[in-house]
Amino acid sequence: MKEVLRSRLDRQLLRLQELDALLASPDVVSDLERYRRLSREHAEAAAVVGHYQRLQRREDDLVQATAMLEEPELRDLAAKEVSAAKADIAELDAQLQLMLMPRDPDDARAAFLEIRAGTGGDESALFAGDLLRMYSRYAERCGWRCELISQSPAELGGYKEAVLRIEAPPDERGTGAYGKLRFESGGHRVQRVPVTEAQGRIHTSACTVAVLPEPDEAAAIDLNPADLRIDTFRASGAGGQHVNKTDSAVRVTHLPTGIVAECQDDRSQHRNKAKALQVLTARIRERDRSERAAKDAALRKGLVGSGDRSDRIRTYNFPQGRLTDHRIGLTLYKLQLILEGQLEEVIAALQVARGAELLAELEGAGP
């Protein structure tokens, strides 16, 4: 392990001792919010320190076992212990590197996944439908909760725009739906022969995907009611007789920015309004995040971290059965399986690439 990482682990050990003292303080115990925040930090620090102490013990074991190799009667036993200690050290080292990586607090949140048809007319709308199905199938494969918040169907099929809400239980690193899907944001390009093409020529069309973290429930009420225009209308698409008779769908416009969000998936106008406000808040936050990212990009552009929706991040080539993610140079020749929701390999590769980038930044930052 590099010294810069070891020094950070030493500081974590000191921080854990400090947290032990703080959590025993009457001032902290009487402040419930501060106590919860410090308790969460304590749990994370304790996990890191526990791994670090096991690493130190196995490093001591390796030193002792290596010295025992000099004794003929213990050589075989010592060789086994050396091999086992090296394997444990390598595994603990890798785990600690992951645990030390900076984490976005939004990674644990549910995600709003927005798909919009772009260049390509009807073919782009059909491709948007394919992407919607791909992400829905992926969520289903993972056992996640997925609901269609709003949709704008196109005349010949597919969607001009669709918004999904995806919720996933956080994994062992606290990563939920947003943390796993955040790198899907960007321009998605498709190359295939459209159903409307009579001469069999390959056309190129595009859609944009935006993945936004869902704000907490309290965040939606931070919006100034005077800045909002709320319209109701009848829901479109399938839904039975009820949606054809009731103006249950809700559209909310944030007047200062012109940002719009709508929801029509529920029969309750009240619940649709609440969901639309959440989507609106997420979009406003994403706009602020994008503006900050644009400024940061002038100094440094990350491998997969920019999230710029104008980037062409991926190509779906139907004639070759090929998917290519241009950010990390990943090419897979199983396009149909991926479109059926088998996105695991793609998402894992993006997370590994981002992890390598964060680790390089961590090492470059120094102690």
Side-chain angles (χ1 to χ4, degrees):
M1 175 175 289
K2 296 185 178 181
E3 285 305 314
V4 63
L5 298 181
R6 195 175 291 273
S7 66
R8 288 177 181 267
L9 289 166
D10 289 334
R11 289 205 304 277
Q12 281 278 65
L13 182 57
L14 294 174
R15 177 58 178 167
L16 183 62
Q17 295 169 355
E18 183 182 359
L19 289 168
D20 285 333
L22 285 171
L23 289 171
S25 168
D27 291 340
V28 173
V29 174
S30 62
D31 186 340
L32 185 58
E33 182 57 34
R34 188 183 180 198
Y35 183 80
R36 287 175 176 170
R37 177 169 51 81
L38 291 175
S39 294
R40 287 194 296 268
E41 184 184 353
H42 184 278
E44 293 176 359
V48 173
V49 168
H51 275 69
Y52 184 37
Q53 290 174 334
R54 285 196 290 275
L55 174 68
Q56 291 175 317
R57 287 195 295 269
R58 293 306 279 156
E59 287 175 336
D60 291 341
D61 293 341
L62 178 59
V63 171
Q64 295 176 16
T66 302
M68 289 168 57
L69 289 173
E70 302 299 324
E71 303 178 27
E73 65 276 12
L74 298 175
R75 186 172 298 151
D76 291 344
L77 181 63
K80 292 180 181 179
E81 177 60 17
V82 166
S83 178
K86 286 182 176 180
D88 290 344
I89 289 170
E91 182 178 354
L92 288 166
D93 192 315
Q95 291 173 352
L96 282 166
Q97 288 183 21
L98 284 174
M99 297 174 87
L100 284 175
M101 287 179 189
R103 277 183 276 176
D104 188 328
D106 286 335
D107 279 354
R109 294 193 177 280
F112 292 118
L113 191 147
E114 306 178 353
I115 304 169
R116 292 183 179 84
T119 57
D122 293 332
E123 171 63 11
S124 177
L126 291 170
F127 180 47
D130 293 336
L131 292 177
L132 177 66
R133 183 172 182 269
M134 177 182 75
Y135 290 120
S136 299
R137 288 288 182 90
Y138 175 63
E140 181 183 339
R141 284 170 56 84
C142 294
W144 299 348
R145 183 180 177 184
C146 180
E147 55 183 322
L148 185 62
I149 295 293
S150 68
Q151 58 179 305
S152 178
E155 293 181 2
L156 296 183
Y159 298 91
K160 298 174 184 176
E161 176 180 317
V163 180
L164 288 170
R165 180 187 179 273
I166 302 176
E167 183 179 357
D171 61 17
E172 65 278 0
R173 294 197 68 241
T175 302
Y178 177 70
K180 291 184 172 70
L181 294 170
R182 60 186 299 171
F183 302 123
E184 294 303 297
S185 290
H188 294 240
R189 184 179 68 172
V190 62
Q191 296 173 327
R192 64 183 174 188
V193 179
V195 293
T196 55
E197 169 58 50
Q199 300 181 16
R201 294 174 299 185
I202 296 174
H203 288 224
T204 298
S205 303
C207 291
T208 58
V209 173
V211 182
L212 318 177
E214 180 184 59
D216 56 38
E217 293 182 358
I221 63 174
D222 290 338
L223 296 171
N224 185 350
D227 292 337
L228 303 177
R229 186 180 73 236
I230 299 176
D231 302 305
T232 59
F233 59 98
R234 292 185 182 180
S236 61
Q241 294 180 351
H242 181 86
V243 296
N244 294 326
K245 295 181 178 180
T246 309
D247 290 346
S248 59
V250 175
R251 179 183 297 111
V252 184
T253 304
H254 186 242
L255 299 175
T257 61
I259 296 174
V260 180
E262 64 182 51
C263 182
Q264 56 180 296
D265 75 312
D266 203 293
R267 290 187 175 185
S268 165
Q269 186 182 111
H270 177 73
R271 286 192 290 269
N272 280 337
K273 178 182 174 183
K275 289 180 181 178
L277 284 170
Q278 281 199 315
V279 174
L280 182 70
T281 303
R283 288 178 177 173
I284 292 171
R285 288 185 170 184
E286 176 63 16
R287 190 196 67 155
D288 294 340
R289 183 200 297 260
S290 297
E291 289 177 353
R292 291 194 302 271
K295 293 178 182 177
D296 294 342
L299 301 175
R300 180 189 62 83
K301 186 173 182 180
L303 176 66
V304 293
S306 68
D308 186 347
R309 298 182 201 174
S310 65
D311 289 345
R312 184 196 69 187
I313 65 166
R314 192 174 296 158
T315 295
Y316 303 73
N317 186 294
F318 275 69
Q320 299 178 14
R322 168 177 59 82
L323 177 140
T324 298
D325 194 290
H326 304 288
R327 296 164 295 179
I328 56 175
L330 174 70
T331 296
L332 299 172
Y333 287 92
K334 50 181 180 180
L335 180 58
Q336 288 303 324
L337 293 176
I338 291 170
L339 290 171
E340 288 296 321
Q342 295 187 26
L343 272 168
E344 292 86 352
E345 188 172 352
V346 179
I347 288 175
L350 288 164
Q351 290 181 317
V352 168
R354 180 58 172 162
E357 184 185 56
L358 288 173
L359 184 58
E361 290 178 2
L362 193 65
E363 293 175 352

